[in-house]
């Protein structure tokens, strides 16, 4: 789904955000607070309407009826959506008009943020009663409010792409939360065989957990590693506040946690705690953790809802998106698994604050891969900011100029992955291009007993794939040299000498892309043009290996 830049949005004079929600939710108060924090204008649809009709809304209702009022409201909202660039708060009933819903859908399709302000019902009813002047609440105000809420809540959820819960929050804290959540990047993933979902990238993305999980689950298994305890504590608090029963499941770090034995332990735990098909899984951690959590979700009762919350750069750009789940075996990586898509992916930039420098840098290997196979702008950004990226410091990250750069790199990389996944969920053709650098890289991981991080192995794998593409007459030498240079500037390895050719060759024959005894690689013809390199000349396969080894 195409998204438009903020510059395009500003040129078209669209609101920075539109707020919808029930009467008494605080749309006007929090909208004003949000606009003041951002230094932009604020408009309230009800106030606009009263100025246009020259009387109060209750009086207009009494004289002309609801239908006439809704028509005035429709015209007012349509005009403002195309001419105002501040924060815009709508009346509670506005989204119930089909034409308004259509206008909000168009606004959201072009990159706009529609915020559903979800307040505690008791708080909202009290504010609505206090405010008075609400013709829709005539009679038993609380009973009318609840009846309207049951009618309107599904519509609000349909039109909104941001849901903000404000229960127990001060106006300033709620407004800050609204700003965080509207600043997120959103990548929509859909296609044949995929139940559509969104990847949300931004500071505070974990706040979406209850809304992505939905009202169905009673129990939620929060699967995480010990190293991300600070972030799992936050996720657990969000889940419990939303009313879920949370089972905390800690697994070993990295590839040690991605085994059938670990999965079996979780299955036993779920069985003992009475998890049903309507319950859910949340995977919070690096790529190995989200792979395992997805595999458990895919296999428990033949499939339960799950959400990925990646906490490393590598997991955000690769493992958490795309629906590949699995575990490793002694014979190879990811040989047991399934294609099973998540209900959503929440890439919260706050989780990167606990990431060590070397773990951040290895994630740049997958980022660069996406640049090589589809989006050259990624490579330009990596070139322009190589020194800052190499010096990444989690403690200062959120307040540094690097944050928007990393956010853009994540969003661009996820879009590359989404492009391939949407067209080819089960890796029958196009999606295989995402494995550029992986055939050799997976062999390195296996031979190093997973002491090498995935992104580092893929970096060397890309060098190997570039050399092989050159030796088979597909890729020019300057692009091969560019690959070495860029990866080296980012602090990624470009060579390896950990085993002999025969050992590497045997493992490459076991790669998932292999067919029978035929070796298959993803090669490169030029930047942005990958291709399937099937059964290349054995001498070229060996020579590419020697070139990578000689650099070590």
């Amino acid at each position: 789904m195409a998204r438009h830049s903020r510059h395009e949005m500003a040129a078209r004079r669209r609101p920075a955000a539109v707020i919808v929600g029930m009467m008494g939710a605080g749309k006007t108060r929090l909208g004003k607070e949000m606009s003041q924090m951002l230094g932009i204008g604020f408009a309230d649809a009800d106030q606009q309407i009263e100025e246009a009709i020259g009387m109060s809304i209750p009086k207009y209702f009494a004289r002309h009826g609801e239908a006439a009022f809704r028509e005035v409201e429709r015209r007012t909202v349509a005009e403002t959506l195309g001419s105002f660039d501040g924060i815009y708060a709508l009346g509670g009933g506005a989204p119930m008009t089909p034409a308004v819903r259509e206008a909000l859908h168009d606004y959201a399709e072009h990159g706009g943020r529609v915020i559903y302000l979800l307040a505690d019902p008791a708080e909202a009813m009290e504010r609505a009663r206090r405010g008075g002047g609400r013709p829709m609440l005539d009679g038993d105000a609380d009973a009318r409010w609840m009846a309207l809420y049951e009618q309107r809540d599904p519509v609000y959820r349909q039109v909104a792409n941001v849901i903000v819960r404000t229960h127990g929050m001060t106006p300033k804290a709620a407004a800050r939360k609204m700003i965080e959540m509207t600043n997120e990047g959103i990548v929509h993933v859909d296609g044949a065989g995929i139940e559509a979902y969104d990847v949300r990238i931004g500071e505070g993305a974990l706040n979406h957990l209850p809304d992505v999980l939905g009202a169905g689950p009673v129990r939620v298994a929060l699967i995480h590693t010990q190293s991300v305890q600070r972030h799992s504590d936050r996720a657990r608090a969000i889940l419990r506040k939303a009313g879920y029963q949370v089972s905390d499941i800690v697994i070993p770090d990295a590839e040690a946690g991605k085994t059938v034995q670990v999965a079996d332990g979780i299955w036993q735990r779920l069985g003992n705690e009475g998890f049903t098909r309507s319950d859910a899984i949340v995977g919070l951690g690096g790529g190995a953790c989200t792979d395992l959590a997805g595999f458990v979700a895919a296999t428990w009762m033949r499939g339960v809802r799950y959400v990925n919350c990646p906490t490393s750069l590598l997991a955000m750009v690769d493992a958490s998106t795309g629906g590949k789940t699995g575990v490793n075996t002694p014979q190879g990586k990811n040989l047991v698994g399934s294609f099973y898509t998540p209900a959503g992916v929440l890439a919260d930039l706050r989780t990167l604050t606990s990431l060590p420098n070397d773990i951040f840098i290895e994630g740049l290997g997958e980022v660069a891969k996406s640049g090589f196979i589809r989006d050259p702008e990624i490579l330009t950004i990596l070139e322009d900011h190589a020194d800052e990226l190499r010096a990444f410091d989690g403690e200062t990250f959120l307040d540094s100029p690097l944050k928007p750069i990393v956010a853009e790199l994540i969003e661009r990389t996820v879009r590359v992955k989404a492009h391939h996944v949407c067209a080819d969920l089960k890796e029958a053709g196009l999606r295989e291009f995402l494995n550029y650098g992986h055939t050799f890289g997976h062999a390195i991981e296996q031979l190093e007993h997973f002491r090498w991080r995935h992104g580092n192995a893929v970096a060397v794998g890309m060098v190997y794939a570039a050399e092989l593409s050159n030796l088979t007459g597909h890729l020019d030498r300057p692009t091969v040299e560019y690959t070495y240079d860029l990866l080296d500037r980012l602090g990624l390895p470009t060579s390896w000498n950990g085993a002999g050719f025969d050992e590497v060759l045997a493992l490459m024959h076991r790669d998932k892309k292999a067919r029978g005894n035929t070796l298959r690689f993803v090669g490169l013809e030029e930047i942005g043009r990958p291709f399937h390199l099937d059964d290349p000349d054995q001498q070229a396969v060996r020579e590419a290996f020697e070139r990578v080894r000689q650099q070590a």
Side-chain angles (χ1 to χ4, degrees):
M1 180 183 298
R3 299 287 179 190
H4 292 248
S5 71
R6 293 191 180 276
H7 295 298
E8 290 173 304
M9 290 289 291
R12 298 173 67 176
R13 296 279 292 175
R14 290 180 178 268
V18 176
I19 306 174
V20 301
M22 284 296 292
M23 294 168 283
K27 299 186 294 293
T28 299
R29 182 177 184 183
L30 296 183
K32 286 181 177 178
E33 192 79 51
M34 188 180 177
S35 70
Q36 288 171 6
M37 287 181 176
L38 293 172
I40 58 179
F42 172 77
D44 181 281
D46 285 350
Q47 185 177 344
Q48 289 178 314
I49 291 167
E50 289 190 335
E51 291 173 359
I53 61 180
M55 65 181 75
S56 69
I57 289 174
K59 190 175 289 186
Y60 192 87
F61 249 78
R63 288 188 185 179
H64 304 285
E66 183 180 355
F69 168 75
R70 295 300 177 198
E71 175 57 24
V72 176
E73 183 178 58
R74 181 198 64 77
R75 291 199 305 267
T76 302
V77 171
E79 181 181 337
T80 306
L81 286 177
S83 62
F84 178 65
D85 55 7
I87 306 297
Y88 190 34
L90 302 190
M96 304 305 291
T97 302
V100 173
R101 286 201 300 276
E102 187 175 333
L104 289 174
H105 179 71
D106 178 72
Y107 163 75
E109 280 288 293
H110 288 86
R113 296 291 187 259
V114 181
I115 304 172
Y116 174 17
L117 207 55
L118 190 57
D120 176 67
E123 292 178 1
M125 282 189 282
E126 170 62 26
R127 282 196 291 265
R129 284 196 305 272
R130 250 190 351 254
R134 300 179 188 271
M136 297 299 291
L137 296 184
D138 287 347
D140 185 337
D142 286 0
R144 287 282 296 152
W145 192 97
M146 284 305 299
L148 287 169
Y149 171 74
E150 290 175 6
Q151 178 189 9
R152 292 175 177 180
D153 175 68
V155 176
Y156 294 153
R157 291 179 183 274
Q158 177 192 347
V159 301
N161 52 20
V162 178
I163 300 176
V164 179
R165 298 168 185 264
T166 62
H167 179 48
M169 302 183 76
T170 65
K172 284 190 181 298
R176 278 196 295 271
K177 184 176 180 180
M178 292 163 71
I179 291 169
E180 284 179 358
M181 295 173 77
T182 52
N183 281 337
E184 293 170 352
I186 303 175
V187 180
H188 190 65
V189 183
D190 59 13
I194 299 175
E195 188 173 338
Y197 64 94
D198 288 330
V199 181
R200 292 180 177 269
I201 304 143
E203 190 176 346
L206 277 179
N207 289 316
H208 291 287
L209 255 178
D211 303 302
V212 178
L213 286 169
V218 173
R219 301 168 191 82
V220 175
L222 178 60
I223 300 173
H224 65 93
T225 57
Q226 191 65 48
S227 60
V228 296
Q229 188 69 49
R230 187 202 325 174
H231 311 305
S232 64
D233 287 346
R234 184 164 147 244
R236 190 183 311 107
I238 291 169
L239 291 168
R240 285 181 174 161
K241 188 173 182 180
Y244 299 104
Q245 297 174 21
V246 183
S247 295
D248 200 62
I249 300 177
V250 182
I251 64 170
D253 252 329
E255 301 297 332
K258 192 175 161 182
T259 67
V260 175
Q261 291 74 25
V262 173
D264 182 56
I266 297 174
W267 291 324
Q268 293 188 43
R269 176 92 178 263
L270 298 181
N272 290 335
E273 296 185 12
F275 271 69
T276 69
R277 182 169 287 175
S278 63
D279 293 321
I281 306 287
V282 171
L284 188 146
C289 178
T290 57
D291 277 359
L292 176 84
F295 180 65
V296 170
T299 50
W300 182 252
M301 296 205 168
R302 297 187 176 90
V304 297
R305 194 170 183 84
Y306 84 106
V307 180
N308 276 335
C309 302
T311 60
S312 70
L313 177 61
L314 182 75
M316 289 179 182
V317 300
D318 181 37
S320 64
T321 301
K324 274 188 180 180
T325 74
V327 292
N328 303 329
T329 69
Q331 290 72 37
K333 186 172 180 180
N334 297 325
L335 294 180
V336 176
S338 67
F339 292 96
Y340 190 67
T341 51
V345 177
L346 305 177
D348 193 326
L349 296 181
R350 289 182 189 173
T351 63
L352 297 179
T353 59
S354 60
L355 207 61
N357 173 270
D358 61 328
I359 306 303
F360 174 84
I361 287 174
E362 68 122 351
L364 295 174
E366 283 285 354
V367 175
K369 178 206 73 179
S370 293
F372 280 114
I373 66 170
R374 180 164 175 85
D375 182 1
E377 182 61 24
I378 289 175
L379 303 181
T380 300
I381 296 170
L382 291 174
E383 285 183 73
D384 292 346
H385 301 282
D387 292 341
E388 303 103 290
L389 290 163
R390 190 168 182 169
F392 171 85
D393 180 357
E395 290 186 5
T396 61
F397 169 64
L398 291 181
D399 296 319
S400 74
L402 193 60
K403 185 177 79 169
I405 295 164
V406 171
E408 182 176 359
L409 285 171
I410 293 170
E411 184 170 347
R412 282 183 172 275
T413 306
V414 171
R415 288 192 186 283
V416 171
K417 183 150 193 178
H419 166 77
H420 293 82
V421 169
C422 291
D424 177 23
L425 173 65
K426 296 192 175 180
E427 204 170 51
L430 181 68
R431 183 171 179 167
E432 284 192 331
F433 290 151
L434 292 171
N435 288 317
Y436 181 62
H438 283 57
T439 302
F440 192 82
H442 281 165
I444 292 174
E445 289 180 273
Q446 189 78 5
L447 289 164
E448 292 287 353
H449 304 288
F450 300 108
R451 290 186 297 264
W452 266 56
R453 290 276 179 175
H454 177 71
N456 292 338
V458 167
V460 178
M462 285 190 288
V463 171
Y464 178 86
E467 289 281 16
L468 184 59
S469 299
N470 174 251
L471 286 163
T472 54
H474 294 90
L475 185 66
D476 62 47
R477 193 68 208 169
T479 304
V480 179
E481 297 301 330
Y482 172 75
T483 302
Y484 278 103
D485 181 63
L486 177 62
L487 298 179
D488 183 64
R489 287 187 59 204
L490 292 169
L492 289 159
T494 56
S495 61
W496 177 75
N497 187 21
F501 175 71
D502 290 341
E503 293 173 277
V504 173
L505 184 64
L507 284 173
M508 291 195 298
H509 270 290
R510 292 183 195 166
D511 184 77
K512 295 188 299 297
K513 292 184 300 304
R515 299 291 185 270
N517 293 321
T518 301
L519 273 176
R520 301 178 79 234
F521 295 89
V522 176
L524 205 64
E525 293 182 314
E526 60 183 45
I527 290 173
R529 287 187 61 191
F531 73 104
H532 290 103
L533 180 54
D534 294 347
D535 201 19
D537 177 74
Q538 282 291 303
Q539 186 56 41
V541 173
R542 181 184 290 273
E543 177 61 25
F545 171 78
E546 294 299 333
R547 290 186 182 184
V548 170
R549 187 166 68 169
Q550 286 168 10
Q551 302 289 329

